[in-house]
Each structure stands twice: as C-alpha cells, then as structure tokens.
Amino acid sequence: MTLARTLLLTGTAGLGILCLVPLALFLALPENQALFWIGNILARALIYGIIALSLTFLATYGGFVSLAQMMVAGIAGYVLAMTVQGAVPVIIGGFGYPMAILMALLASVLAGLAVGAIAVRTNDIYLLMITLALAVGFYRFVESNIDLFNGYEGIRNVLGPDILGRRFRDPMVFYTIASGTALLLYLGVLFLVRTPFGLALQGIRDNPRRISALGYNVVLHRIVAFGIAGFIAGCGGVLATIYNIGISPGSIGLGATINLLIMSVVGGLGHPVGAFVGSLIFAIFDTFAASLYDRDRFNSLIGAVFLVIVLISPDGALGLSRRLGRLLRGKPKPGAPPA
Amino acid sequence: MVHALELTDIGRRFGALHAVRNVSLTVPSGQRHAILGPNGAGKTTLFNLVCGDFPPTSGRVVAFGEDMTRRPASHRARIGIGRTYQTSLLFTGLTVIDNLLIAIRGARKGRLSLVPSASNGQDIRDATVLAERVRLAHRAHHEVATLSHGQRRQLELGMALACKPRLLMLDEPAAGLSPAERPELNQMLKDLPGEITLVLIEHDMDVALPISDMVTVMKDGEIVVQETPDRITDNPIVNKIYLGQGHG
C-alpha cells in the first residue's frame, strides 16, 4: 500500500472516530453529561495525548525515551502565557494569540533542539537521567524566578482566541480544535517516518554505528528529531495552557513528567496511537478515581493499572488488544511453531 | 597515480594492547586485496581505522588522495568507501527494501529530507535492483529480523554496494555461511564490477584467494607477508602461522 493511501485511510478512520464518539455520547447521555465527557475527558486525553505523542515518536522511531517532553510543552505554555494580551499578571504581554502561539511553538522547537543537543551522546538510562535532570531543573527555575513566572500561582487568564464568534474554551470548539490538531500531528508522524529522515531515524534506533558508516550524521539527525518532537509537544503545551486557563509550575513538575511517561507506557510505545490510548485511560481514571475508590488515592489506582498493564503486556494496552485479537481469531503468536 | 587506499605507519593502542602497529599498505585502484591472519591479528581493527569507527593513535589514512585520518565515518561513506561487518549490523526492525533505501540515500544529499525526495521512485527501483543482485528479491518486503544468517550476509553486501562504492571493504563476508551458501557468495564477489577496489578480510582461503590480486598476512598487529595469491600458500611464514611450527 502506498504512503498516500495509508495516510488517506488512517486519516478517514481517525476523523470518523473523532466525529462519531461525540455523536454517540450525545445519543447515549443527557447533554450536560455528554459535554462533560467531551470537555473534561476526551479533550484532556487529546491534549496530553499530543504531548505523549512527542515522547512516543522519539521512543518508537528513534529509541530515545525523553523525560523532558513535558518541560518542552511547558516552555510553549509559558511563552504563550507571558506574551499574550490579557494574561494575568502581565509579564511581557501585548501580542495577539496568533503571534503568541507562533512564538510559543518556535520556543518549543528551540527547546527540543537544545534538549537533543545536550543529550546527544547519551542513551538508555543515561538519556532518561539527563532529560529528567533538565525537566526538574526547569521546574525549579520557573518556581524560583517569581518576577518572570509569578511563582506557584503561575500565569492565569489565558482564554484562547474566539473562533467564528464562539469561545475557544467552549467544549465543542475546543474538542474540534484539539482533535483536528491531534489527527494532523498523528498523520504527520506516520508521514514523517516514511521520509528519508524518518527511515534513517529508525536506522539510528536499530544500529547507530551502521547508519554512520552509510554516510549519515547521527548527531544532527538526533537533534532534528528532538526538534520535531519539541514542535509536537509545543502544540500540546499551547492547548493545555488554554485548556487550564493558564500555567503554573505544578503543571510541569516531576508529577506531570512521570504522568506523561505512564500515559505513554500504558498506551504502548510500539505505535504512535498508543499515546492517545494511554492518555484516554489516564484521563478516565483521573476523572472517576473519586467514584471508583478515593480521589486522594488516585496515584495508587493509576499505579496499580500501570503495574497490571506492564506485567500482562509489556507493550501496553495496544499490545494487549493485539493479543486479545489474535486469541479471539484463534491465530498463533507470531514466531510460534505451527501446530 | 591516485591509489584507492594508502596507509602510512598506522597504529592503534587500546591501553597496554597494541592492536595495530606501524602498518603501511598501498592498494591501487581496481585491485582485489585480501587480508589474512589468525584471530587477534588486528585485521578488523585495521578495517575500523580505515572506516573511521575510531581514529588511529599514529599514522595516516589516505583514500583516493584525500587525508581521512581524522574524518568521521559518515564522510568516508560519502567519498565512496562501503563496508560490511564481521557480525551483521543491519536495521532489524525494517524490511530488506528499507535497509537498502537507507543505504542508497546515505551518500547522497537530501538524506535529512523531511519530505519524500524527488528521486523517491528511482531510489525504490535502485533498491529493488540491488535486492535482485544480492539474491534477495523474494524477501524484499520481509523484516530483516526474519532473514536467515546467510540472507543477512547477502543484505550486508547489498548495503555496502548501495552507495556505489569505489572502495569496498568486506569483513569476513563468508563468516557463518554453510558450505551450500558459499558458492553463491563467491559468485556475487566475482560479479563485482572491475572498477571497484576490493579489500577483503577472510579466514577461508577458498573464498579469498580465487578473487584476489594481492594478499597481505597480518599477525600480532603487524604485516608479516605480502604476496600474490599463487605464491602465498608456499610461503613458509604463512604456513607457520596457519599450520603450526612443523610446517614452517
């Protein structure tokens, strides 16, 4: 199947799911509950799914598990909040949303490139440690520079631009924009991995020594991959800041960084769609933890879910669904000897 | 005349171990040059020095008149040095065609392109031709992880040929091949175009000698003999190295 055909089919299927789910919710639930699901669960799952997509893109196709992706999203969020007109308190201000969003995305790409350059010689546990150190360092920097970032309270009143006369934060408007962005970025990743750059990135994942001997500059490739992941995380960061009506250090702290890793692993690092599966599972548990068990025990609950999924299926919920599918169809495990 | 490869007093130390010492070697363009020697002779280290996996601690590496001593491995591929490895180093998560595509694009501009290149169709045709040339057309769209050892060695050769090398360096291409797979490899090596300079490390003399114009024998990191293939088997030093003291 050609790349164009794959993208067309995936795009149509994705669009179908993203349109049908709200429709089904409106048909099955009262309007206020349907809007709650759309605004509080699906939209949130899409936003954090986008940020998790940046991590999954690096991990799946480059073999780099970066813990700095929430930091990169936070940089985009802070640049937006600091520069846009109407945010409280005014740090820089004066820019309309289009320009502020553009600057935020540029900042996230630059931050991604910087993370890539700093971590360029590290792999595996060392890459995890260096990106974790960057994430925690940035969190402390934001927290302690009160004049620049307004400390714990953060920057508020980032409401987003009006879209065709409707508020950006209207659940349906927000959902439409978040789902459109998520779909475009998802298709973008699927497209990118079939380009010369994307194939070489997978070559770096499998064998960096060989790819270098074939004429590729591994260092440059890695840095550019982090820059692209920075753009993806930046899109998520902008949406998250508008969704939360602002940004504070808590949204980029160690807890948020770990949560993003949990979403990616729970969904599965084998395919980019795992990012969205993981973020949806996470959003559902986060929302209904109080009803299921106890709101204060959310971390225990999601920790248990994480443990169960990782123990049963090391490749996350995606791997689990593939196994179940094979079991139901009665097909043997790939590589298993014929009966 | 510009030689394909000129090594001058090249050496490499790993701590106290002197893996390669004062090796000087000239390989004229178009020559088929075999490097023989027992395990630990420094053959693969010599290859890695030529290919830029790590720099020499002494001496100079010149390829096609250009000083390569401190150049990165990626640059050497771009000037036309292709190589294979003793243990297959392939992209096991990708298909045979994808491996060949990566290899074809490595030495070209546009390898960092974020959109499919204008030459995409031609690249795929070239990769398909290469897959046929190394007898892997029937496995072209299979993941490398599913290939047999022999097929992986064939793909290694295909990837080394993909950048249209002027100098091809093969590190034990017959390693691990069954007797049934060796004739196919021999034929592939014989079929290589005459303008490609070939430097070959091989333990199996039946593979190395029929295709070589010159043979260099190494021991303990040094060159001990350099002879034509028809005279090498009669050389007492070579017999001593390969067969033991009584045959020297």
Side-chain angles (χ1 to χ4, degrees):
Chain A
M1 197 166 14
T2 63
L3 177 60
R5 194 170 150 78
T6 307
L7 291 178
L8 190 68
L9 285 176
T10 312
T12 312
L15 197 62
I17 292 168
L18 291 169
C19 292
L20 283 176
V21 170
L23 198 67
L25 287 170
F26 275 116
L27 289 173
L29 299 170
E31 188 185 343
N32 63 336
Q33 283 186 38
L35 285 173
F36 173 81
W37 266 87
I38 292 166
N40 283 40
I41 297 171
L42 297 183
R44 195 145 58 101
L46 286 165
I47 295 167
Y48 289 100
I50 290 172
I51 305 174
L53 177 67
S54 74
L55 195 160
T56 308
F57 163 68
L58 286 175
T60 306
Y61 298 109
F64 323 125
V65 180
S66 163
L67 289 180
Q69 295 315 108
M70 189 53 98
M71 175 199 91
V72 175
I75 286 173
Y78 265 106
V79 169
L80 172 67
M82 288 163 77
T83 55
V84 79
Q85 181 105 36
V88 179
V90 178
I91 308 287
I92 298 170
F95 291 95
Y97 272 98
M99 183 51 79
I101 290 172
L102 206 64
M103 285 192 290
L105 294 179
L106 183 65
S108 66
V109 172
L110 292 176
L113 292 172
V115 171
I118 292 167
V120 77
R121 301 278 177 202
T122 58
N123 278 310
D124 307 324
I125 188 75
Y126 304 103
L127 177 63
L128 272 178
M129 291 310 294
I130 202 162
T131 50
L132 179 63
L134 286 170
V136 174
F138 181 69
Y139 165 69
R140 292 289 178 205
F141 177 74
V142 167
E143 188 191 45
S144 53
N145 284 276
I146 296 168
D147 290 346
L148 266 178
F149 304 105
N150 202 35
Y152 278 116
E153 208 178 325
I155 305 168
R156 304 175 311 279
N157 207 39
V158 184
L159 300 167
D162 285 352
I163 306 289
L164 302 172
R166 294 183 71 178
R167 287 182 305 112
F168 196 99
R169 295 195 69 262
D170 176 290
M172 284 314 294
V173 173
F174 194 92
Y175 174 79
T176 307
I177 290 169
S179 56
T181 309
L183 186 61
L184 280 177
L185 290 172
Y186 175 68
L187 292 176
V189 167
L190 294 187
F191 171 80
L192 192 67
V193 297
R194 295 306 306 167
T195 62
F197 172 84
L199 266 185
L201 184 65
Q202 294 169 79
I204 291 172
R205 172 198 64 196
D206 287 355
N207 211 315
R209 187 177 164 206
R210 183 61 189 259
I211 202 102
S212 180
L214 288 170
Y216 291 87
N217 185 334
V218 174
V219 167
L220 184 61
H221 237 89
R222 276 186 63 148
I223 293 173
V224 172
F226 273 86
I228 292 166
F231 175 78
I232 299 170
C235 291
V238 165
L239 286 170
T241 305
I242 297 173
Y243 178 84
N244 293 320
I245 327 177
I247 187 165
S248 64
S251 55
I252 56 162
L254 186 60
T257 298
I258 301 290
N259 285 348
L260 195 70
L261 185 66
I262 289 174
M263 287 176 210
S264 303
V265 175
V266 164
L269 289 169
H271 192 275
V273 81
F276 296 100
V277 174
S279 63
L280 181 64
I281 293 172
F282 192 93
I284 289 172
F285 274 96
D286 189 27
T287 307
F288 296 111
S291 326
L292 285 170
Y293 186 31
D294 179 353
R295 182 69 195 88
D296 294 336
R297 302 293 178 122
F298 164 72
N299 284 331
S300 310
L301 197 64
I302 195 71
V305 172
F306 178 77
L307 267 178
V308 168
I309 289 187
V310 168
L311 282 174
I312 296 175
S313 170
D315 41 0
L318 275 186
L320 199 62
S321 64
R322 273 197 289 266
R323 273 194 205 94
L324 281 174
R326 271 200 302 272
L327 205 67
L328 291 173
R329 289 195 303 272
K331 285 192 176 174
K333 193 178 166 185
Chain B
M1 180 189 174
V2 175
H3 295 298
L5 186 65
E6 289 174 85
L7 308 179
T8 312
D9 289 330
I10 199 165
R12 174 72 200 194
R13 280 178 178 276
F14 296 102
L17 175 71
H18 214 152
V20 171
R21 58 179 86 196
N22 303 327
V23 168
S24 293
L25 181 71
T26 300
V27 181
S29 292
Q31 190 180 71
R32 307 292 159 103
H33 198 117
I35 298 177
L36 308 179
N39 284 334
K43 307 183 296 292
T44 296
T45 305
L46 184 69
F47 252 45
N48 289 337
L49 293 172
V50 172
C51 294
D53 281 31
F54 37 74
T57 38
S58 62
R60 274 179 88 212
V61 178
V62 176
F64 303 107
E66 191 178 337
D67 191 341
M68 293 281 121
T69 315
R70 301 285 154 191
R71 291 283 197 157
S74 54
H75 180 78
R76 297 169 200 232
R78 287 177 216 150
I79 68 150
I81 301 179
R83 77 166 292 186
T84 66
Y85 292 83
Q86 197 174 1
T87 314
S88 297
L89 291 185
L90 301 166
F91 311 123
T92 48
L94 299 173
T95 64
V96 168
I97 282 286
D98 285 343
N99 272 258
L100 292 169
L101 275 175
I102 290 174
I104 285 169
R105 290 168 179 158
R108 287 199 200 147
K109 284 182 179 167
R111 58 190 159 270
L112 204 67
S113 174
L114 299 175
V115 290
S117 59
S119 62
N120 200 34
Q122 187 58 46
D123 289 349
I124 292 171
R125 281 191 290 279
D126 289 349
T128 309
V129 169
L130 262 174
E132 283 167 12
R133 193 166 159 192
V134 293
R135 280 92 160 153
L136 285 175
H138 63 297
R139 303 300 307 268
H141 297 286
H142 287 77
E143 259 191 31
V144 171
T146 66
L147 298 187
S148 70
H149 177 75
Q151 288 169 333
R152 288 182 189 214
R153 302 305 291 172
Q154 287 164 238
L155 181 56
E156 274 273 341
L157 183 60
M159 288 173 73
L161 290 170
C163 62
K164 297 191 170 73
R166 292 188 284 167
L167 170 60
L168 183 60
M169 306 194 56
L170 307 180
D171 192 352
E172 295 194 31
L177 293 188
S178 66
E181 289 168 321
R182 287 182 182 226
E184 191 153 31
L185 176 77
N186 281 358
Q187 194 54 50
M188 274 192 274
L189 295 179
K190 280 178 190 159
D191 290 346
L192 289 175
E195 65 269 20
I196 294 180
T197 307
L198 182 69
V199 180
L200 170 86
I201 294 176
E202 188 51 67
H203 279 299
D204 187 342
M205 290 211 188
D206 292 339
V207 172
L209 299 188
I211 59 164
S212 304
D213 304 321
M214 182 59 73
V215 179
T216 294
V217 181
M218 288 182 73
K219 186 173 184 289
D220 298 331
E222 291 176 305
I223 292 178
V224 287
V225 177
Q226 202 168 61
E227 280 286 8
T228 53
D230 52 326
R231 296 175 64 180
I232 200 82
T233 46
D234 298 330
N235 188 295
I237 302 172
V238 175
N239 282 325
K240 191 172 160 185
I241 289 171
Y242 272 88
L243 301 172
Q245 193 72 33
H247 295 267

